[in-house]
Amino acid sequence: MSAHDKAPIVRAVAVGKRFGAFQALQGITVDIPVGEVLCVIGPSGSGKSTFLRCINQLETVTEGALWVGGELVGHRRVGNRLHALSDSEIARQRLKTGMVFQHFNLFPHMTVLENLIEGPLRVQRRARAQVIAEAQALLARVGLAHKSAAFAIELSGGQQQRVAIARALAMRPQLMLFDEPTSALDPELVGEVLSVMRDLASSGMTMLVVTHELGFAREVASRVMFMDHGQIVEIGAPDQVLLEPRHPRTREFIAAVRK
């Protein structure tokens, strides 16, 4: 069964987001099936990160509707009325997604292992021995088993970002969101983070990746989505969008990035 034969883990219907008079997102309609890797490209300010933040409920949708894991994000429908969820209900919904940001946001006073086990122990209240075993397995998966007792300040940027990925996975999310995870890294450290993401994609994890790494997108993505001015301009197979884009604005952007 292909990804597109499965129920969508994310469904966006005419999603809009305003910040005052500024329309950051407009008419975003897309389904993301379970197991898909959707890479989102576009210029700065095009709404890519805002869309991820709406999915993770760091921002509130102001128009349209968004479902994650079959649940309407941020609201509960009762008859013909929508009721806003409480903070605790939003926190529960947010557990379906893991998010990795441009900057690593590790707790500096905790070791690498402590960073990974904090959420599963305090938020999910899972058994400590199981959480530690899973965390150690995740550190091995990202190539950092030998750094479990280190502090963030002792790690390179690439290592910190790999720890951030492992920390997000420790919460057992259904969906991983990556917001330009390599943009803050020195060029020689980008490869080690992309390697972890390739492994994650090949394992079947559903991923939504905002990136400027067009080579990575072509290699790993199920689909590529180009956004501009808060709208989806073009979406399709990686080779089609990246090598034979149909929209003039997509062609212009890709040509500029490849210079």
Side-chain angles (χ1 to χ4, degrees):
M1 180 182 289
S2 71
H4 290 274
D5 295 325
K6 302 176 183 178
I9 190 166
V10 175
R11 168 160 284 174
V13 178
V15 166
K17 172 63 182 176
R18 287 184 178 273
F19 296 98
F22 176 64
Q23 184 87 43
L25 294 175
Q26 182 177 351
I28 301 295
T29 297
V30 64
D31 282 356
I32 303 173
V34 172
E36 176 166 74
V37 179
L38 178 62
C39 284
V40 186
I41 62 172
S44 297
S46 60
K48 309 181 303 294
S49 296
T50 300
F51 183 46
L52 260 63
R53 292 173 68 85
C54 287
I55 291 172
N56 203 36
Q57 300 196 66
L58 297 174
E59 301 289 354
T60 304
V61 170
T62 49
E63 298 155 21
L66 184 61
W67 290 263
V68 176
E71 284 191 276
L72 183 63
V73 162
H75 293 85
R76 182 191 303 107
R77 185 183 297 278
V78 180
N80 292 324
R81 291 177 175 268
L82 290 178
H83 297 266
L85 297 182
S86 67
D87 289 346
S88 62
E89 289 172 315
I90 288 172
R92 177 191 58 77
Q93 284 191 339
R94 193 178 283 139
L95 290 175
K96 295 179 181 179
T97 61
M99 190 156 179
V100 178
F101 300 87
Q102 296 177 29
H103 300 284
F104 325 118
N105 300 324
L106 299 179
F107 297 119
H109 62 289
M110 294 182 180
T111 66
V112 164
L113 182 63
E114 288 167 344
N115 265 277
L116 263 67
I117 67 176
E118 176 76 2
L121 289 179
R122 288 187 177 271
V123 178
Q124 297 177 328
R125 302 189 182 280
R126 286 158 46 198
R128 185 176 182 86
Q130 181 190 53
V131 166
I132 290 174
E134 286 188 19
Q136 289 171 331
L138 285 169
L139 287 175
R141 183 175 180 181
V142 301
L144 291 172
H146 61 298
K147 293 291 187 181
S148 64
F151 291 89
I153 197 171
E154 301 173 273
L155 305 179
S156 71
Q159 289 172 331
Q160 289 187 60
Q161 193 62 297
R162 285 188 278 157
V163 171
I165 293 171
R167 182 176 64 176
L169 291 171
M171 299 293 285
R172 298 176 176 173
Q174 299 175 32
L175 167 70
M176 283 288 287
L177 307 173
F178 294 88
D179 189 5
E180 299 190 24
T182 61
S183 65
L185 299 178
D186 292 332
E188 66 269 21
L189 301 178
V190 169
E192 64 190 60
V193 174
L194 293 182
S195 177
V196 169
M197 293 172 66
R198 283 188 192 94
D199 173 70
L200 196 56
S202 66
S203 75
M205 172 61 75
T206 311
M207 296 165 60
L208 183 53
V209 185
V210 172
T211 184
H212 288 296
E213 303 285 342
L214 299 189
F216 171 81
R218 186 183 174 200
E219 176 189 351
V220 174
S222 312
R223 290 185 296 169
V224 171
M225 183 166 83
F226 173 65
M227 292 182 65
D228 194 25
H229 291 101
Q231 297 178 301
I232 299 173
V233 175
E234 188 164 350
I235 185 168
D239 283 355
Q240 182 265 301
V241 175
L242 298 173
L243 301 182
E244 299 178 355
R246 298 189 177 109
H247 197 283
R249 182 66 186 99
T250 316
R251 289 196 292 271
E252 179 186 342
F253 171 79
I254 290 172
V257 170
R258 287 187 169 144
K259 280 184 181 177

